Amino acid sequence: MAAGKISQLTLAGDGCGLPWSAPDCGPAGVAIPEVRILIDDPRGSDVRALVECHLEFARSHKPAGDLHALDVAGLLDHAVTVFSYRAGGDLLAVGALKRLDRRHAELKSMHTAEAARGRGIGRAMLAHLIGVARDRGFRRLSLKTGSQPAFAPARSLYATAGFTPCRPFSGYRPSHGSTFMTPSLDSPGAAA
């Protein structure tokens, strides 16, 4: 992104996985590349590469027995929908929703490319995923992230979107290395 943080207008995606775009110009008429969040194929070379960065990050900060990040094969599960965040065609972030049952989904594989961090891209992706979860009729959206210091920015992002600590869900076991979080999708506070 050429000019700072993403505007609130950009955060107002349609929540249905349909393309949406940022305004044509930023501050002082600086052109901003077209921003799109779309359903994507995890087998695509750039998506696969960013998923591998996500896995490497998780492996470097979590004990092996407590690693539940999905690889490309896991993202191909019929219960998972993968989304990509692209600006001017360049992949900057990925995120996924996994249907656990008809009312409960799990947020998976949220990752922003290192060079694109600090621009509000993760917040935009999270807002989009929450919107999609609501549109699909889920009443609960849960996630599992690390409790290590390296995951503090992620936990902070989730907390600002209304996620609060919860008990392990969907067969996960309690772990000192994991933090489980969920918002109420019925609450207007659950938005990034």
Side-chain angles (χ1 to χ4, degrees):
M1 311 272 320
K5 298 230 184 231
I6 296 170
S7 72
Q8 288 297 332
L9 177 61
T10 304
L11 294 177
D14 65 10
C16 296
L18 301 174
W20 51 277
S21 301
D24 290 334
C25 294
V30 175
I32 297 176
E34 180 181 33
V35 173
R36 298 165 66 89
I37 296 178
L38 298 168
I39 293 174
D40 213 329
D41 185 343
R43 295 169 294 192
S45 61
D46 58 351
V47 176
R48 189 174 56 243
L50 192 54
V51 167
E52 188 54 39
C53 288
H54 176 66
L55 292 169
E56 287 176 24
F57 177 83
R59 285 182 199 118
S60 69
H61 296 286
K62 301 230 0 131
D66 198 22
L67 186 62
H68 295 94
L70 295 178
D71 60 11
V72 171
L75 292 170
L76 289 170
D77 183 307
H78 71 280
V80 177
T81 306
V82 177
F83 295 87
S84 62
Y85 179 107
R86 295 178 185 275
D90 294 329
L91 179 66
L92 301 180
V94 293
L97 287 176
K98 180 178 183 181
R99 180 181 32 82
L100 300 176
D101 61 40
R102 72 179 193 86
R103 305 304 270 166
H104 188 192
E106 181 178 4
L107 188 122
K108 297 293 288 183
S109 303
M110 279 267 306
H111 193 85
T112 301
E114 190 171 351
R117 293 180 187 160
R119 301 183 197 176
I121 293 167
R123 184 171 309 282
M125 177 63 83
L126 181 58
H128 185 79
L129 295 172
I130 291 170
V132 170
R134 280 190 176 123
D135 289 348
R136 291 182 178 178
F138 293 117
R139 301 301 293 256
R140 183 172 177 207
L141 178 62
S142 302
L143 65 86
K144 175 186 174 293
T145 190
S147 59
Q148 297 79 4
F151 293 92
R155 292 190 308 272
S156 177
L157 171 65
Y158 300 136
T160 63
F163 284 77
T164 57
C166 68
R167 299 173 61 100
F169 57 92
S170 188
Y172 289 120
R173 296 181 178 267
S175 162
H176 293 294
S178 295
T179 299
F180 300 91
M181 302 179 81
T182 191
S184 167
L185 293 181
D186 295 329
S187 163

